[in-house]
Amino acid sequence: MNSARSLIDSHRRSLAWIAGVLIALPLILAGGISPVLTLALPLLALVGLLVMRWPIVGLALLVASIPVQDLASVGSGEASLTATRVGLLLALFGYAATITFGQQPLRGSRLLIPFVALVIWMAGTAATSLDQAAGAADVFRWTTALLTLVIALQLLVGASKRTVLTIIAVTAAVGAVEAGFGGVLGILGIGPASFRVENAFARAFGTFGRPNTFGGYLEMTVFPVLWVSVYSIGETFRRLSHYRRLRPVGFHESSEARRDTIRSALLTGLLVASTATMLWGVLLSFSRGAWLGVAAGLVVSLVVALRRFWVTVLALAPIVMLAVAFASGQLGSSVVGERFGSILDEARPFDAASITITPENFAVVERMAHWQAGWRMFIDDPLTGVGAGNFNASYPDYFVRSTFRISQGHAHNFYIQVLAENGIPGLLLYVTVAISFLLLALLVALRSTDAFSRALALGAVGSLSAVYLHNVFENLHVLNLSVQISLVWALTVVAHRRWRYESSRDDGDVEYSRR
């Protein structure tokens, strides 16, 4: 290990130049095709220098690129250079700079092992699939998610609280802008006719083009912001109290405490405003899956957060249930009530091939038809499925009704889609990855006494609970949304390491250093 470190140290400048060339090469090649990108290369070079100086900037740009990945693309098709791909290149450059110039040890997690195995298995199924180009594109999306997790672990594990809060603040700002943009469009009624709601306004869809994807992005983003805002509120009051104690001593003596209080108050304001805006965006998306996911995330994370008051929670549960039942009755004739009531209809199994189709049940039957087509693909080859990314390519051979002979893009159930495309091993590997991070987040949220670690863990518990449930009705791993999920997974590991650090420090043994 020491010899490897010495080798890296002696050649770190050469390695940095090699990494820079390898990362810049795709941009240069694309720039030769696109005049716009050619003009943007100086700006990218400047950003590259910033990333070399502060590697966390690369990760922040990657996270911020998710909502605009299709709006700022160069080229066409799967080979296009999107904002997220540029963000990934910059984040990789920051990762290389951290290891070479920063001489940081490699950081990771054992939970990367099943994730790597999942990507390898997907690559194997894609190699023998009907549409290998679609398979390669799907594998690339999952590789992007894997690399995001690797980079986030390297930059955030062991980092200072300020660095972690920087990523949370970027997530909050981007999420608020996306939710605000989508919400305003919805209120103005801008969107396809199929998105209209009682001819008054439209379902919010933001930059994603689809309300369900828009709602899914917000639900996986809002919970870390929500729970860190709760932590930040308490921190602001603590700093304000500290400043009040120092203020009588003198203006100069209390200047640092005053600056800390102002910074904390500004961060709290951003996080609280972002949380409210994103929840508003989820509501206006009229995505039943997002509503259900957010409700589940709130319930699970609240129950975990109030673990010391479970007796009180259980005592209040009947009152809350009665209030919800009353509210549902009041909303029974409204659009919100109708959409809430239709959630059970979508989850109830039936034969999409024989049921009578009406305007009221068309969407539900279409969803079930895709579930059944995916199940047929799995039954046909339960080991490898039809190949990663090949649900659409194989759909014409498996549709259950001519009315729905054209695929809508995915199976409308991520777990069925994994079974259809990657077989039983693919589903087992994904579930292993997903549940491992959720259990780790629950462990930290239930046992940690460090307030910041608990806030990160509760945010992960809320997001993961919401996404895993919503995936029963949608595929939330499209359009590189997995980048955001990987960030939540990374924050789970960060919370765990911080908790272990606090525990070991109490015992007089330091496992790793935090800058």
Side-chain angles (χ1 to χ4, degrees), residues 296-317:
L298 285 173
V299 169
V300 174
S301 58
L302 274 173
V303 169
V304 174
L306 300 175
R307 67 192 189 284
R308 298 177 183 175
F309 307 98
W310 278 356
V311 174
T312 304
V313 172
L314 291 175
L316 292 176

Side-chain angles (χ1 to χ4, degrees), residues 439-473:
L439 291 178
L440 185 64
L442 285 169
L443 175 67
V444 178
L446 289 170
R447 299 184 59 181
S448 177
T449 57
D450 175 57
F452 187 57
S453 299
R454 288 193 66 232
L456 293 177
L458 286 170
V461 167
S463 285
L464 299 183
S465 299
V467 170
Y468 297 167
L469 180 58
H470 192 173
N471 265 335
V472 174
F473 304 97

Side-chain angles (χ1 to χ4, degrees), residues 215-224 463 467 476 481 484-485 488:
Y217 168 74
L218 294 180
E219 72 181 314
M220 65 180 65
T221 305
V222 68
F223 286 100
S463 285
V467 170
L476 295 184
L481 291 185
Q484 187 66 37
I485 297 175
V488 176

